[in-house]
Amino acid sequence: MRHARPRSTARHHRRRAVAALLATALGGLTGCASIGDAQQVIDRAHLVNELASRLDHASELSYTADYQLPGGGQATIVQAQSPMRTAYIYPAGKYATTREATMDCQTAGGTTTCTLTAPPPGGSDATTTLVNVLRNRGMVPPTLVVNLLTAASLSSNTVIKQHDTTLAGEHATCVEVSGVENAPASAFDACITSDGVLGSFNGVVDGASVDISLTRYATTIADDAFTPPAGAQIVDQRTKRS
């Protein structure tokens, strides 16, 4: 049986949330809010919803994106389709999900150990697990940025500034966000490319600082993107079928 991908559900909930925000803004016209205030809310909701939709669309692409980390380090996000696979590669290790396993590789003392566990279940639980794994490794998953943008659109105190830039030869729309309520990050800067790839992110997520910037984008995938690094020790904790 083929399971539906969770991103469609997330997109549905985001659209409903933004629709509710627009209704609130328009309804406020009968009270104290001015037409200008309501228009600002509507414009903000449309902007962040469009950027979140770009990121959603990118989940359907196959690509390799390299990022600059603070201190000169490099990180990479690799995504492939049919079947869906994702890898996050950073200086101290690698975290990858495939339909066969979740692979968490960590390097310490010159030795790399890769622990294999069951594939991710999908949905919000998978996003939460991914955020917890990556936040102390200098990276942020695009799914979290989607959630942050949605939270920004729903927060009445949010302040959003927009500008455009070019990252690794890719045009990107950027937002500087502050005052976000009920979210892992109350303030952050994010850039999304025209293709929907995360161009950059700077912010403190659940107490962990993240600062990444795109340096290379390609639609090709390395053969070893989702496999353990050469010479790694493998610890297989998956339940064996009898």
PDB file of all heavy atoms in Angstrom, residues 34-53:
ATOM      1  N   SER A  34      -8.024  49.821  11.297  1.00  0.00           N
ATOM      2  CA  SER A  34      -8.184  50.596  10.076  1.00  0.00           C
ATOM      3  C   SER A  34      -8.013  49.691   8.873  1.00  0.00           C
ATOM      4  O   SER A  34      -7.525  48.565   8.980  1.00  0.00           O
ATOM      5  CB  SER A  34      -7.143  51.714  10.024  1.00  0.00           C
ATOM      6  OG  SER A  34      -5.843  51.154   9.887  1.00  0.00           O
ATOM      7  N   ILE A  35      -8.418  50.178   7.720  1.00  0.00           N
ATOM      8  CA  ILE A  35      -8.236  49.418   6.489  1.00  0.00           C
ATOM      9  C   ILE A  35      -6.755  49.152   6.247  1.00  0.00           C
ATOM     10  O   ILE A  35      -6.363  48.069   5.839  1.00  0.00           O
ATOM     11  CB  ILE A  35      -8.857  50.172   5.298  1.00  0.00           C
ATOM     12  CG1 ILE A  35     -10.375  50.238   5.450  1.00  0.00           C
ATOM     13  CG2 ILE A  35      -8.478  49.502   3.988  1.00  0.00           C
ATOM     14  CD1 ILE A  35     -11.061  51.025   4.351  1.00  0.00           C
ATOM     15  N   GLY A  36      -5.913  50.146   6.545  1.00  0.00           N
ATOM     16  CA  GLY A  36      -4.478  49.968   6.371  1.00  0.00           C
ATOM     17  C   GLY A  36      -3.925  48.869   7.251  1.00  0.00           C
ATOM     18  O   GLY A  36      -3.104  48.059   6.813  1.00  0.00           O
ATOM     19  N   ASP A  37      -4.359  48.791   8.513  1.00  0.00           N
ATOM     20  CA  ASP A  37      -3.902  47.750   9.424  1.00  0.00           C
ATOM     21  C   ASP A  37      -4.320  46.374   8.915  1.00  0.00           C
ATOM     22  O   ASP A  37      -3.539  45.414   8.932  1.00  0.00           O
ATOM     23  CB  ASP A  37      -4.475  47.965  10.829  1.00  0.00           C
ATOM     24  CG  ASP A  37      -3.888  49.194  11.506  1.00  0.00           C
ATOM     25  OD1 ASP A  37      -2.783  49.606  11.096  1.00  0.00           O
ATOM     26  OD2 ASP A  37      -4.529  49.726  12.420  1.00  0.00           O
ATOM     27  N   ALA A  38      -5.558  46.259   8.475  1.00  0.00           N
ATOM     28  CA  ALA A  38      -6.040  44.977   7.969  1.00  0.00           C
ATOM     29  C   ALA A  38      -5.267  44.562   6.728  1.00  0.00           C
ATOM     30  O   ALA A  38      -4.930  43.389   6.552  1.00  0.00           O
ATOM     31  CB  ALA A  38      -7.534  45.068   7.653  1.00  0.00           C
ATOM     32  N   GLN A  39      -4.972  45.524   5.858  1.00  0.00           N
ATOM     33  CA  GLN A  39      -4.238  45.210   4.641  1.00  0.00           C
ATOM     34  C   GLN A  39      -2.840  44.705   4.966  1.00  0.00           C
ATOM     35  O   GLN A  39      -2.316  43.791   4.303  1.00  0.00           O
ATOM     36  CB  GLN A  39      -4.153  46.435   3.739  1.00  0.00           C
ATOM     37  CG  GLN A  39      -3.516  46.138   2.373  1.00  0.00           C
ATOM     38  CD  GLN A  39      -4.315  45.132   1.584  1.00  0.00           C
ATOM     39  OE1 GLN A  39      -5.534  45.266   1.450  1.00  0.00           O
ATOM     40  NE2 GLN A  39      -3.653  44.091   1.077  1.00  0.00           N
ATOM     41  N   GLN A  40      -2.208  45.270   5.991  1.00  0.00           N
ATOM     42  CA  GLN A  40      -0.882  44.807   6.384  1.00  0.00           C
ATOM     43  C   GLN A  40      -0.925  43.361   6.848  1.00  0.00           C
ATOM     44  O   GLN A  40      -0.033  42.569   6.541  1.00  0.00           O
ATOM     45  CB  GLN A  40      -0.324  45.694   7.503  1.00  0.00           C
ATOM     46  CG  GLN A  40       0.103  47.072   7.024  1.00  0.00           C
ATOM     47  CD  GLN A  40       0.688  47.909   8.143  1.00  0.00           C
ATOM     48  OE1 GLN A  40       0.737  47.473   9.285  1.00  0.00           O
ATOM     49  NE2 GLN A  40       1.130  49.112   7.821  1.00  0.00           N
ATOM     50  N   VAL A  41      -1.965  43.006   7.606  1.00  0.00           N
ATOM     51  CA  VAL A  41      -2.117  41.624   8.061  1.00  0.00           C
ATOM     52  C   VAL A  41      -2.301  40.693   6.873  1.00  0.00           C
ATOM     53  O   VAL A  41      -1.716  39.614   6.792  1.00  0.00           O
ATOM     54  CB  VAL A  41      -3.303  41.507   9.045  1.00  0.00           C
ATOM     55  CG1 VAL A  41      -3.575  40.042   9.383  1.00  0.00           C
ATOM     56  CG2 VAL A  41      -3.025  42.300  10.306  1.00  0.00           C
ATOM     57  N   ILE A  42      -3.143  41.111   5.930  1.00  0.00           N
ATOM     58  CA  ILE A  42      -3.400  40.287   4.751  1.00  0.00           C
ATOM     59  C   ILE A  42      -2.119  40.109   3.925  1.00  0.00           C
ATOM     60  O   ILE A  42      -1.784  39.006   3.498  1.00  0.00           O
ATOM     61  CB  ILE A  42      -4.514  40.915   3.892  1.00  0.00           C
ATOM     62  CG1 ILE A  42      -5.846  40.864   4.656  1.00  0.00           C
ATOM     63  CG2 ILE A  42      -4.636  40.201   2.555  1.00  0.00           C
ATOM     64  CD1 ILE A  42      -6.958  41.646   3.992  1.00  0.00           C
ATOM     65  N   ASP A  43      -1.394  41.207   3.701  1.00  0.00           N
ATOM     66  CA  ASP A  43      -0.153  41.131   2.937  1.00  0.00           C
ATOM     67  C   ASP A  43       0.865  40.209   3.617  1.00  0.00           C
ATOM     68  O   ASP A  43       1.559  39.437   2.956  1.00  0.00           O
ATOM     69  CB  ASP A  43       0.443  42.528   2.765  1.00  0.00           C
ATOM     70  CG  ASP A  43      -0.397  43.405   1.844  1.00  0.00           C
ATOM     71  OD1 ASP A  43      -1.253  42.858   1.127  1.00  0.00           O
ATOM     72  OD2 ASP A  43      -0.193  44.631   1.864  1.00  0.00           O
ATOM     73  N   ARG A  44       0.961  40.310   4.948  1.00  0.00           N
ATOM     74  CA  ARG A  44       1.889  39.470   5.687  1.00  0.00           C
ATOM     75  C   ARG A  44       1.515  38.008   5.549  1.00  0.00           C
ATOM     76  O   ARG A  44       2.359  37.151   5.326  1.00  0.00           O
ATOM     77  CB  ARG A  44       1.877  39.881   7.169  1.00  0.00           C
ATOM     78  CG  ARG A  44       2.863  39.115   8.037  1.00  0.00           C
ATOM     79  CD  ARG A  44       2.725  39.530   9.485  1.00  0.00           C
ATOM     80  NE  ARG A  44       1.503  39.009  10.068  1.00  0.00           N
ATOM     81  CZ  ARG A  44       0.869  39.549  11.098  1.00  0.00           C
ATOM     82  NH1 ARG A  44       1.323  40.663  11.636  1.00  0.00           N
ATOM     83  NH2 ARG A  44      -0.225  39.005  11.574  1.00  0.00           N
ATOM     84  N   ALA A  45       0.225  37.708   5.675  1.00  0.00           N
ATOM     85  CA  ALA A  45      -0.234  36.330   5.562  1.00  0.00           C
ATOM     86  C   ALA A  45       0.048  35.766   4.176  1.00  0.00           C
ATOM     87  O   ALA A  45       0.499  34.633   4.034  1.00  0.00           O
ATOM     88  CB  ALA A  45      -1.730  36.255   5.870  1.00  0.00           C
ATOM     89  N   HIS A  46      -0.212  36.559   3.134  1.00  0.00           N
ATOM     90  CA  HIS A  46       0.046  36.102   1.773  1.00  0.00           C
ATOM     91  C   HIS A  46       1.532  35.859   1.542  1.00  0.00           C
ATOM     92  O   HIS A  46       1.921  34.873   0.896  1.00  0.00           O
ATOM     93  CB  HIS A  46      -0.476  37.137   0.768  1.00  0.00           C
ATOM     94  CG  HIS A  46      -1.956  37.091   0.579  1.00  0.00           C
ATOM     95  ND1 HIS A  46      -2.687  38.118   0.017  1.00  0.00           N
ATOM     96  CD2 HIS A  46      -2.863  36.139   0.892  1.00  0.00           C
ATOM     97  CE1 HIS A  46      -3.958  37.803  -0.026  1.00  0.00           C
ATOM     98  NE2 HIS A  46      -4.098  36.610   0.510  1.00  0.00           N
ATOM     99  N   LEU A  47       2.382  36.728   2.071  1.00  0.00           N
ATOM    100  CA  LEU A  47       3.823  36.589   1.876  1.00  0.00           C
ATOM    101  C   LEU A  47       4.339  35.297   2.504  1.00  0.00           C
ATOM    102  O   LEU A  47       4.995  34.501   1.831  1.00  0.00           O
ATOM    103  CB  LEU A  47       4.555  37.791   2.481  1.00  0.00           C
ATOM    104  CG  LEU A  47       6.088  37.674   2.565  1.00  0.00           C
ATOM    105  CD1 LEU A  47       6.689  37.551   1.170  1.00  0.00           C
ATOM    106  CD2 LEU A  47       6.665  38.881   3.304  1.00  0.00           C
ATOM    107  N   VAL A  48       4.051  35.094   3.776  1.00  0.00           N
ATOM    108  CA  VAL A  48       4.605  33.921   4.444  1.00  0.00           C
ATOM    109  C   VAL A  48       3.963  32.639   3.928  1.00  0.00           C
ATOM    110  O   VAL A  48       4.609  31.581   3.863  1.00  0.00           O
ATOM    111  CB  VAL A  48       4.468  34.027   5.977  1.00  0.00           C
ATOM    112  CG1 VAL A  48       5.305  35.162   6.519  1.00  0.00           C
ATOM    113  CG2 VAL A  48       3.022  34.192   6.391  1.00  0.00           C
ATOM    114  N   ASN A  49       2.698  32.708   3.525  1.00  0.00           N
ATOM    115  CA  ASN A  49       2.051  31.527   2.961  1.00  0.00           C
ATOM    116  C   ASN A  49       2.681  31.156   1.631  1.00  0.00           C
ATOM    117  O   ASN A  49       2.880  29.970   1.332  1.00  0.00           O
ATOM    118  CB  ASN A  49       0.556  31.773   2.776  1.00  0.00           C
ATOM    119  CG  ASN A  49      -0.189  30.516   2.353  1.00  0.00           C
ATOM    120  OD1 ASN A  49      -0.008  29.454   2.931  1.00  0.00           O
ATOM    121  ND2 ASN A  49      -1.022  30.656   1.330  1.00  0.00           N
ATOM    122  N   GLU A  50       3.029  32.163   0.836  1.00  0.00           N
ATOM    123  CA  GLU A  50       3.675  31.884  -0.452  1.00  0.00           C
ATOM    124  C   GLU A  50       5.052  31.263  -0.254  1.00  0.00           C
ATOM    125  O   GLU A  50       5.428  30.323  -0.951  1.00  0.00           O
ATOM    126  CB  GLU A  50       3.777  33.186  -1.249  1.00  0.00           C
ATOM    127  CG  GLU A  50       4.065  33.000  -2.735  1.00  0.00           C
ATOM    128  CD  GLU A  50       5.541  32.822  -3.037  1.00  0.00           C
ATOM    129  OE1 GLU A  50       6.369  33.359  -2.274  1.00  0.00           O
ATOM    130  OE2 GLU A  50       5.880  32.131  -4.023  1.00  0.00           O
ATOM    131  N   LEU A  51       5.804  31.766   0.724  1.00  0.00           N
ATOM    132  CA  LEU A  51       7.125  31.204   0.989  1.00  0.00           C
ATOM    133  C   LEU A  51       7.022  29.784   1.541  1.00  0.00           C
ATOM    134  O   LEU A  51       7.800  28.903   1.162  1.00  0.00           O
ATOM    135  CB  LEU A  51       7.887  32.100   1.977  1.00  0.00           C
ATOM    136  CG  LEU A  51       8.269  33.481   1.454  1.00  0.00           C
ATOM    137  CD1 LEU A  51       8.977  34.282   2.547  1.00  0.00           C
ATOM    138  CD2 LEU A  51       9.153  33.384   0.214  1.00  0.00           C
ATOM    139  N   ALA A  52       6.073  29.562   2.432  1.00  0.00           N
ATOM    140  CA  ALA A  52       5.874  28.221   2.961  1.00  0.00           C
ATOM    141  C   ALA A  52       5.455  27.252   1.862  1.00  0.00           C
ATOM    142  O   ALA A  52       5.876  26.090   1.831  1.00  0.00           O
ATOM    143  CB  ALA A  52       4.833  28.244   4.083  1.00  0.00           C
ATOM    144  N   SER A  53       4.643  27.729   0.923  1.00  0.00           N
ATOM    145  CA  SER A  53       4.226  26.887  -0.203  1.00  0.00           C
ATOM    146  C   SER A  53       5.411  26.531  -1.090  1.00  0.00           C
ATOM    147  O   SER A  53       5.497  25.419  -1.615  1.00  0.00           O
ATOM    148  CB  SER A  53       3.157  27.605  -1.030  1.00  0.00           C
ATOM    149  OG  SER A  53       1.967  27.777  -0.294  1.00  0.00           O
TER     150      SER A  53
END
